[in-house]
Amino acid sequence: MKVALFIPCYIDQFYPQVGIATLQLLEKLGCEVIFPLNQTCCGQPMANSGFEHLNKDCDNNFVENFKDFDYIVSPSGSCTLHVKEHLHGSDEQASTHIRKHLYELSEFLTDILKVESLSVQFPHRVGLHQSCHGQRGLKLAQMSELVAKPFSKTEHLLNMVDGLSLMELDRKDECCGFGGTFCVTEEAISVKMGKDRISDHTRHTVEYITGTDVSCLMHLEGILKRQGSAIKVKHIAEILNG
Amino acid sequence: MNNIKQDHASASTEFNKDEAHVDWHDETLWFVRSKRDKAVFQIPEWEQLREAGSQIKNHVLSNMHDYLVEFEKKATENGIKIHWAADGQEHNEIVYSIIKNEGVNRMVKSKSMLTEECHLNEFLKEKGVEVIDSDLGERIVQMRQEPPSHIVLPAIHLKRAEVGETFHQHLGTEKGATDPQYLTEAARQHLRDTFLSRKVALTGVNFAIAETGGFVVCTNEGNADMGVHLADVHIASMGFEKIIPKVEHLGVFLRLLARSATGQPITTFSSHFHKPRAGQKMHIIIVDNGRTKQLGRPDFRNSLKCIRCAACFNTCPVYRRSGGHSYHTAIAGPIGSILAPNLDMARNADLPFASTLCGSCSNVCPVKIDIHEQLYKWRQVLVQEGHVSSVKSLGIKSMSTILSSPSFYRTAGKLGRFLMKNSPFMTNNNLNVWYQHRDMPDVPKESFREWFIREKGGK
Ligand code: SF4
């Protein structure tokens, strides 16, 4: 299966190891992975700040890079959601095609590759940070607000990892406070939300916080480091790739 | 409208100076959210109930004119006097004229967010009319000359000791007293005198029923009933969106409202009013105050479905940590942030940005308002209408240029991880703000793209 990899700008620049793990994992699972070299960004930072109207060129570039693929995979729930909801390049047909064929990594592993087992180990206590856009937007997991049957694609995958113990949290889907530009325009609340998320993980003695979004993890990691905490963050791709 | 003292971000920074208080505020409201969860999970058909509530309200919004006319006709037949107010000012003047007509200068009022929206208390005070709020929480904030910080729990920002101090100052309770029973009893005695001596009572309206011309007021304290049963005149103020078509629809909304608001199966008092009792006069003031305008905005009209349950407040991780006053508008929280810009964009331009767009609000909303999507859409409108600072615009524009061009992006990346400085969320060189309480990731030796080209030869 031919898969195009969409690596959001944060990952490209700050967390290349997440891109590498995603690529290796997909290859291990038998995919032929292509990385269109001229990709840049999904346009979300502009759009969430109210500047969606400036995104035409960015959208066109995205379409140009990905229009020829039937499977596009990205290790970011937030960027994936943005593209799925808001990508409108000049070529509307190609844009629609992309919107329908873009998958967040854990969604792709679960729904398309239908992965049921993985031979990896991670003998640690892990807390899952269920990022809002992946969860409420892409429905990677059931939302605590809804009266509906529970499920979680991310937990299902993590449970395949040998030795990994997933720790229960008090608030299993509370936002971490990253929120794009919110993290600096509303610094006080953003940091407080991050600290509160971390306390929940700390109370439950996790060694690693994992998740599907590097942006949330970067925010949490920034606070953890400042606190001198021993808790580390790892993107889910890094754990699943072993 | 008045200018605001502080925007949401600065008010929140202020609020967060007392972290223990923020923790307490967050946990108190989370407790309400948890109670709501418990209550709704007992109803297997909860999601269908939300859908029904949403559909009925959508239908009303599309047939507003007919239902309002029907309601006016039925209510008038029942002996109720209907008034129409185009805005807050007109509403306040109508209330004042009714009070003046009765030859009194005092009024008792049960909770009505609409009168907060219209700034009725301030208006009447200037006219020399004394208004006593009879809802306990409202009374507390009124004594402190503060606006309510929450539409269901108006004094939720205050701890018991602060309430004790307020009562000590205003009601003469013992200094340092914090026992809720003692304090409530003091308030009860004080309000009892008020109830007995007021000729005019004003209430809000939760639901106005077109087919009967009647209306329902929900309270937990029974204070609305107490006020109007003892008064000669009952004024009920309602935004026009309070209309529902039929009595049977109450079966949907009363179930949704109480569970979403406080996790109760039903509010303690759901009082149905149909006509004035013998010798009593009853007025209903139907208020527009920007609602027609909102109804005319395709992206935002369904915010008028709101039944003011405050579930979106209680679940909002930002509200819980910033407090209601940070929203500088009568209706705070997520719903306030999509209603307020309709009334005054310049004044409320900060509010749609006071959210991470996590989406929890839309999920708890009993009438399925797509609150977080409307927050996103308001951001676009506010930028287009020029309500966002030019510095920010400039930052975003240069970011957009870099991110639109693969070659710019790559060069910028090579020149030392341009995102470090110009990272999308660092608009306006806000790196220092990030650094106040957070570190940045270590800069990796190479970007993913560089690794890929080196390892895979760029294919
Ligand atoms: S928007 Fe929805 S959740 Fe919020 S107060 Fe209104 S009805 Fe309740």
Side-chain angles (χ1 to χ4, degrees):
Chain A
M1 184 185 289
K2 208 184 209 178
V3 171
L5 194 55
F6 163 43
I7 297 296
C9 49
Y10 306 116
I11 299 182
D12 178 40
Q13 296 286 319
F14 293 147
Y15 292 89
Q17 70 274 24
V18 174
I20 297 169
T22 306
L23 183 141
Q24 290 175 340
L25 176 62
L26 290 169
E27 284 184 343
K28 263 190 234 170
L29 293 167
C31 301
E32 181 197 339
V33 184
I34 289 153
F35 178 70
L37 278 168
N38 283 333
Q39 57 180 289
T40 59
C41 167
C42 65
Q44 174 168 224
M46 280 80 82
N48 278 3
S49 307
F51 293 81
E52 195 186 273
H53 64 285
L54 294 181
N55 273 354
K56 216 42 187 199
D57 291 345
C58 194
D59 282 3
N60 281 338
N61 184 57
F62 196 93
V63 172
E64 208 34 60
N65 275 277
F66 291 104
K67 65 178 190 312
D68 298 328
F69 298 95
D70 287 337
Y71 297 101
I72 307 156
V73 176
S74 177
S76 160
S78 187
C79 303
T80 299
L81 179 69
H82 178 77
V83 172
K84 283 177 105 54
E85 288 187 339
H86 300 288
L87 181 78
H88 293 286
S90 306
D91 183 346
E92 190 50 45
Q93 207 185 341
S95 304
T96 310
H97 175 84
I98 292 174
R99 289 199 307 273
K100 286 197 178 138
H101 294 87
L102 173 64
Y103 302 88
E104 181 280 330
L105 174 67
S106 55
E107 177 180 45
F108 183 73
L109 299 180
T110 312
D111 298 346
I112 305 297
L113 295 186
K114 303 197 190 302
V115 172
E116 283 303 338
S117 66
L118 288 163
S119 48
V120 278
Q121 296 187 359
F122 196 72
H124 296 286
R125 291 187 303 277
V126 174
L128 172 62
H129 175 64
Q130 196 59 265
S131 292
C132 305
H133 286 172
Q135 187 208 18
R136 298 197 182 83
L138 296 174
K139 311 210 170 14
L140 296 181
Q142 190 52 273
M143 300 153 258
S144 64
E145 301 91 0
L146 300 184
V147 179
K149 234 172 71 200
F151 69 88
S152 169
K153 295 178 189 176
T154 30
E155 278 182 20
H156 182 63
L157 289 166
L158 288 169
N159 282 332
M160 294 173 200
V161 178
D162 247 12
L164 184 150
S165 9
L166 209 46
M167 309 307 285
E168 284 267 339
L169 300 172
D170 292 331
R171 301 186 190 177
K172 67 180 174 112
D173 55 7
E174 173 113 320
C175 176
C176 69
F178 173 70
T181 44
F182 180 90
C183 76
V184 286
T185 55
E186 289 269 4
E187 191 259 356
I189 304 288
S190 172
V191 169
K192 180 62 183 145
M193 285 168 69
K195 280 165 75 178
D196 288 355
R197 274 301 68 231
I198 287 170
S199 315
D200 198 346
H201 288 273
T202 311
R203 270 197 306 281
H204 294 92
T205 68
V206 315
E207 296 165 85
Y208 286 87
I209 300 179
T210 191
T212 50
D213 263 287
V214 167
S215 44
C216 305
L217 295 178
M218 175 169 78
H219 164 68
L220 294 174
E221 185 180 47
I223 299 171
L224 285 166
K225 277 194 186 163
R226 184 61 60 90
Q227 291 177 338
S229 168
I231 299 178
K232 296 190 185 58
V233 304
K234 251 191 198 308
H235 187 273
I236 189 169
E238 297 173 87
I239 295 181
L240 300 181
N241 186 45
Chain B
M1 227 179 233
N2 317 334
N3 280 332
I4 53 167
K5 268 195 262 145
Q6 272 183 319
D7 66 5
H8 184 273
S10 347
S12 307
T13 308
E14 200 71 30
F15 192 75
N16 271 265
K17 284 192 177 142
D18 184 351
E19 190 169 359
H21 189 268
V22 176
D23 288 339
W24 168 82
H25 191 263
D26 166 62
E27 272 152 30
T28 308
L29 289 155
W30 182 258
F31 176 73
V32 185
R33 152 82 206 264
S34 312
K35 267 182 75 187
R36 172 258 174 215
D37 289 353
K38 270 198 204 103
V40 306
F41 276 88
Q42 279 165 18
I43 307 218
E45 73 276 21
W46 179 253
E47 300 304 331
Q48 283 110 289
L49 206 56
R50 285 176 75 219
E51 183 59 28
S54 167
Q55 296 285 350
I56 296 168
K57 283 281 182 180
N58 276 333
H59 169 81
V60 170
L61 293 182
S62 300
N63 297 277
M64 191 56 85
H65 168 268
D66 295 346
Y67 284 123
L68 282 171
V69 170
E70 186 183 352
F71 178 73
E72 179 183 38
K73 183 167 171 281
K74 291 284 159 52
T76 311
E77 283 168 13
N78 295 343
I80 302 175
K81 170 99 178 94
I82 299 285
H83 307 258
W84 299 89
D87 54 24
Q89 179 72 17
E90 237 176 77
H91 165 265
N92 296 347
E93 273 159 13
I94 294 168
V95 175
Y96 180 55
S97 72
I98 297 171
I99 297 173
K100 220 167 60 181
N101 235 344
E102 294 301 315
V104 295
N105 59 3
R106 303 192 295 185
M107 179 176 83
V108 63
K109 172 159 95 56
S110 74
K111 197 144 70 58
S112 148
M113 286 317 297
L114 177 63
T115 59
E116 295 291 337
E117 180 187 316
C118 300
H119 304 286
L120 176 69
N121 285 15
E122 293 93 316
F123 174 91
L124 289 178
K125 199 169 164 195
E126 267 175 32
K127 301 277 182 200
V129 177
E130 184 204 46
V131 180
I132 299 269
D133 278 304
S134 64
D135 170 272
L136 185 56
E138 284 274 330
R139 186 70 194 114
I140 296 168
V141 293
Q142 195 192 17
M143 286 192 279
R144 297 171 59 92
Q145 302 190 336
E146 284 175 353
S149 69
H150 186 284
I151 56 176
V152 171
L153 310 161
I156 197 67
H157 58 292
L158 298 171
K159 291 183 103 161
R160 235 189 274 159
E162 294 168 286
V163 176
E165 185 51 33
T166 306
F167 278 22
H168 170 65
Q169 281 173 24
H170 295 267
L171 303 178
T173 53
E174 273 170 52
K175 190 159 179 64
T178 57
D179 175 40
Q181 192 123 31
Y182 169 73
L183 294 176
T184 322
E185 188 50 33
R188 197 170 281 153
Q189 290 308 329
H190 154 74
L191 286 171
R192 197 159 296 255
D193 294 343
T194 308
F195 287 132
L196 289 171
S197 55
R198 297 302 185 269
K199 280 179 71 181
V200 180
L202 186 146
T203 69
V205 169
N206 289 93
F207 305 102
I209 302 119
E211 75 171 348
T212 65
F215 59 96
V216 175
V217 182
C218 302
T219 71
N220 271 331
E221 297 167 22
N223 55 312
D225 308 78
M226 193 75 167
V228 299
H229 291 333
L230 293 167
D232 301 337
V233 180
H234 178 181
I235 307 172
S237 294
M238 58 176 266
F240 69 56
E241 80 283 11
K242 296 288 171 195
I243 288 276
I244 58 172
K246 291 169 184 288
V247 174
E248 67 189 44
H249 296 148
L250 284 171
V252 173
F253 290 108
L254 291 176
R255 291 178 85 197
L256 286 172
L257 176 62
R259 285 184 175 83
S260 302
T262 55
Q264 292 165 271
I266 191 157
T267 38
T268 315
F269 297 87
S270 304
S271 312
H272 299 241
F273 298 96
H274 285 107
K275 53 172 82 161
R277 59 172 196 276
Q280 192 203 29
K281 284 176 233 165
M282 200 179 261
H283 300 265
I284 296 176
I285 311 175
I286 303 175
V287 183
D288 182 329
N289 203 36
R291 286 162 175 76
T292 307
K293 201 165 169 202
Q294 188 86 323
L295 194 59
R297 300 182 194 271
D299 285 342
F300 305 112
R301 74 199 292 266
N302 88 29
S303 60
L304 295 172
K305 292 194 291 186
C306 176
I307 59 170
R308 302 287 190 267
C309 71
C312 58
F313 289 52
N314 306 334
T315 202
C316 178
V318 175
Y319 174 88
R320 278 188 260 113
R321 292 174 182 83
S322 71
H325 292 153
S326 63
Y327 294 78
H328 55 76
T329 165
I331 316 269
I335 180 67
S337 298
I338 59 173
L339 292 174
N342 173 55
L343 292 172
D344 188 336
M345 279 197 217
R347 186 183 184 276
N348 299 309
D350 56 326
L351 296 180
F353 293 91
S355 162
T356 60
L357 305 181
C358 79
S360 186
C361 47
S362 307
N363 274 350
V364 292
C365 179
V367 287
K368 298 178 86 166
I369 301 172
D370 53 343
I371 306 171
H372 73 292
E373 283 164 27
Q374 293 189 38
L375 287 166
Y376 175 90
K377 288 177 185 161
W378 267 119
R379 293 179 185 189
Q380 315 304 322
V381 173
L382 290 163
V383 165
Q384 302 265 8
E385 306 259 326
H387 296 293
V388 167
S389 86
S390 51
V391 187
K392 188 171 178 184
S393 302
L394 215 66
I396 304 258
K397 276 180 194 148
S398 57
M399 179 165 85
S400 157
T401 310
I402 293 172
L403 295 176
S404 301
S405 150
S407 55
F408 268 13
Y409 175 81
R410 259 185 269 175
T411 323
K414 281 216 187 82
L415 293 173
R417 306 278 163 269
F418 86 100
L419 279 164
M420 241 357 196
K421 277 214 200 78
N422 293 307
S423 158
F425 52 89
M426 300 299 168
T427 47
N428 202 0
N429 275 331
N430 270 331
L431 196 56
N432 295 341
V433 183
W434 172 279
Y435 264 121
Q436 277 174 30
H437 297 99
R438 284 166 291 210
D439 287 353
M440 277 301 274
D442 301 327
V443 182
K445 276 203 303 292
E446 54 186 0
S447 67
F448 173 77
R449 178 181 272 89
E450 286 158 357
W451 172 87
F452 182 81
I453 291 170
R454 187 168 55 72
E455 279 289 312
K456 309 265 171 182
K459 272 180 235 115

